[in-house]
Amino acid sequence: MIPVRGFEDQTVAVLGMGRSGLATARALEAGGTHVVVWDDTPQTRERAEAEGFACRDLRDPTAFEDVACLVVSPGIPHLYPQPNAAVAAALEAGVPVDNDIGLFFRSLATDDWDGFDRAPRVVAVTGSNGKSTTSALIDHVLRAAGRECQLAGNIGRGALDIDPPGDGGVVVLELSSYQTELARALTPDVAVFTNLTPDHLDRHAGMGGYFAAKRRLFAEGGPDRAVIGVDEIEGRYMAGQLAEGRADDRVIRVASGCKLTGPGWLVYARKGFLTEWRKGRQVASIDLRDIKGLPGAHNHQNACSAFGALRALGLGPREIETGLRSFEGLPHRSQLVGERGGVRFVNDSKATNVDAALQALRAFPRIRWVCGGLMKDGGLAGLHPALDHVAKAYVIGREPEVFARDLPGTEAVLCGDMATAVAQAAAEAEPGDVVLLAPAAASFDQYDNFEARGADFIAQVRAVLG
């Protein structure tokens, strides 16, 4: 646990008693803070009270008279589409609003660091797609190289729930836009921006607000090194804003599918090879094509982002390559579940938006595609360029016919449930095919979350494979 500093003998309110909220309350208490909590769900409040935390209805305008700060869990809106009632009450009372990431950065360094030979370092990873895999890759390679590392934030443990890092230790934080937009302190040593595609637009009042939330990690965080994906215009803009000139190697530009040129620090993947250039010359190359844990161009982009961050931490190219080759992938993200008769079964349940599903479809030449669910705004037009990879679609969800209508020229069967879709896809698959779950939709019409959907896919595949 990272005890929160700066609020000793003061009262801090915590809104939202999920995983991060409970960890935040414990860390505040460990730092000598008086903690009051609130959650709109009665059962969650009861769980917090069972741990000894005092509940206070923070929707009451008078609830903040003695409160120094309100700490808000990531899923709770504080501005758009409209503030939660408790946040609105805090703002009306003039109480500062923060989150666990802001508390983490203000509390991480301690007097013990004065005795370290090498100060601990923090790598923060954000972006629309690939940030979980990139974060996990950095953590995996560091551990494979014998370095102390902890993975936290939007993946793994809550940021305040980790152990204080030791001499030379590294903390890797995956940060969503919900976390970067509100944190009052953002000071990573290395910051990574993977890419930007439309998502969470209601929460950020449009694409500009979404990009601004991501950009805070770099503009306000002032990292020593910034690893920036420049495949989209937003990344190219941000790299230009951060660099003093083309040769400024504080910015590491990353791309997938095209060659980067110039005198700066560049990492790109092209035709399955990762290449590093620095000061106008090539310094490293890695063949990614046979690394099973990193299939497809989108994972090659993740590998480039991780490579850039690891090089910024001082690891050598061969050391990084060794770690990449032992990476098995994350659950629900291009996860190989099984194989039979030349047919592979891949779980990419995390592909909840069109862009993530597009990258998954492009990763394999011939696909039996399990798809569908709660469609997001904008439809499926963004998937059309990759539909030639789809031999047949097996559509799940409560309204599969609506999903199927937006797949022109693609043979689709309305399965409704996962068991039917997997059984039929497996029965019809031929050697060389990939039975791929990449829903391109949210899971909430049938499942609690994408993990539950992926777990159902895995269970049905195992039933088919025996």
Side-chain angles (χ1 to χ4, degrees):
M1 180 187 300
I2 306 292
V4 174
R5 302 175 184 277
F7 295 107
E8 293 80 0
D9 299 322
Q10 300 181 65
T11 297
V12 171
V14 179
L15 178 62
M17 283 288 100
R19 176 179 67 96
S20 68
L22 279 171
T24 298
R26 295 175 191 132
L28 281 161
E29 192 172 64
T33 305
H34 175 57
V35 181
V36 296
V37 304
W38 180 254
D39 194 288
D40 291 338
T41 305
Q43 295 90 335
T44 309
R45 292 199 298 271
E46 291 171 6
R47 187 168 66 242
E49 287 178 323
E51 282 206 31
F53 294 113
C55 284
R56 179 188 295 183
D57 189 346
L58 298 176
R59 299 169 296 183
D60 186 337
T62 66
F64 290 94
E65 292 179 354
D66 63 338
V67 172
C69 181
L70 173 65
V71 183
V72 181
S73 295
I76 298 173
H78 61 273
L79 187 57
Y80 302 114
Q82 63 183 22
N84 177 277
V87 176
L91 296 174
E92 182 69 24
V95 172
V97 180
D98 205 347
N99 63 14
D100 64 325
I101 301 303
L103 298 184
F104 168 86
F105 278 112
R106 70 180 286 170
S107 306
L108 182 63
T110 68
D111 293 340
D112 294 338
W113 287 28
D114 293 338
F116 289 162
D117 291 329
R118 297 172 299 162
R121 304 180 77 184
V122 178
V123 179
V125 181
T126 195
S128 297
N129 299 307
K131 57 184 178 293
S132 293
T133 297
T134 300
S135 301
L137 259 178
I138 296 168
D139 174 70
H140 173 82
V141 174
L142 285 167
R143 290 173 181 272
R147 298 278 293 273
E148 176 197 319
C149 188
Q150 297 180 80
L151 181 63
N154 204 43
I155 186 175
R157 301 161 69 183
L160 292 168
D161 198 33
I162 66 171
D163 299 323
D167 194 322
V170 179
V171 177
V172 180
L173 295 179
E174 180 199 332
L175 299 181
S176 71
S177 57
Y178 292 3
Q179 293 167 308
T180 58
E181 70 173 342
L182 187 58
R184 293 170 64 87
L186 285 168
T187 54
D189 298 281
V190 180
V192 181
F193 175 81
T194 58
N195 50 54
L196 195 78
T197 58
D199 209 358
H200 310 304
L201 299 188
D202 58 337
R203 173 67 179 259
H204 301 294
M207 196 68 176
Y210 180 45
F211 176 52
K214 300 286 190 186
R215 186 175 178 271
R216 288 191 75 243
L217 181 63
F218 302 84
E220 300 189 25
D224 295 335
R225 282 254 160 69
V227 181
I228 308 291
V230 295
D231 287 317
E232 292 86 30
I233 185 61
E234 292 87 355
R236 294 192 288 275
Y237 169 80
M238 186 154 60
Q241 288 282 296
L242 295 173
E244 292 296 330
R246 295 180 69 209
D248 186 352
D249 67 1
R250 293 174 302 170
V251 175
I252 304 175
R253 290 174 170 83
V254 168
S256 176
C258 67
K259 181 178 180 179
L260 297 177
T261 59
W265 198 344
L266 313 170
V267 181
Y268 62 88
R270 188 164 179 258
K271 297 181 180 180
F273 286 85
L274 180 154
T275 302
E276 177 188 11
W277 282 73
R278 194 169 184 183
K279 297 180 180 179
R281 65 184 185 88
Q282 182 177 321
V283 295
S285 179
I286 299 174
D287 186 350
L288 302 173
R289 295 173 298 176
D290 61 345
I291 299 179
K292 291 187 177 181
L294 297 170
H298 61 305
N299 276 310
H300 293 176
Q301 182 187 58
N302 298 334
C304 288
S305 296
F307 183 94
L310 291 160
R311 291 288 281 138
L313 291 172
L315 272 69
R318 298 284 75 81
E319 199 172 21
I320 298 172
E321 179 177 2
T322 298
L324 294 179
R325 292 195 176 280
S326 61
F327 182 69
E328 295 182 352
L330 285 176
H332 315 299
R333 299 164 178 85
S334 299
Q335 177 189 12
L336 180 61
V337 177
E339 187 171 356
R340 184 182 68 183
V343 177
R344 286 177 289 165
F345 296 80
V346 175
N347 167 28
D348 204 343
S349 183
K350 185 62 170 66
T352 58
N353 60 46
V354 165
D355 186 74
L358 175 68
Q359 301 305 323
L361 293 180
R362 284 175 166 168
F364 308 103
R366 182 176 165 87
I367 296 167
R368 303 282 173 173
W369 181 29
V370 180
C371 55
L374 189 62
M375 287 181 61
K376 296 187 176 182
D377 293 343
L380 304 177
L383 288 170
H384 294 176
L387 291 181
D388 58 339
H389 290 221
V390 178
K392 191 172 182 178
Y394 304 81
V395 188
I396 63 173
R398 291 183 182 172
E399 297 181 338
E401 64 281 353
V402 176
F403 195 97
R405 279 201 300 267
D406 212 357
L407 302 174
T410 300
E411 184 180 359
V413 57
L414 308 183
C415 297
D417 61 85
M418 188 71 74
T420 302
V422 171
Q424 188 165 343
E428 296 175 355
E430 303 171 0
D433 286 357
V434 172
V435 176
L436 171 69
L437 171 64
S443 59
F444 306 124
D445 59 336
Q446 291 182 312
Y447 302 94
D448 289 340
N449 47 51
F450 74 85
E451 292 97 339
R453 178 172 56 193
D456 191 13
F457 177 79
I458 293 170
Q460 301 307 327
V461 169
R462 288 176 177 168
V464 167
L465 297 180

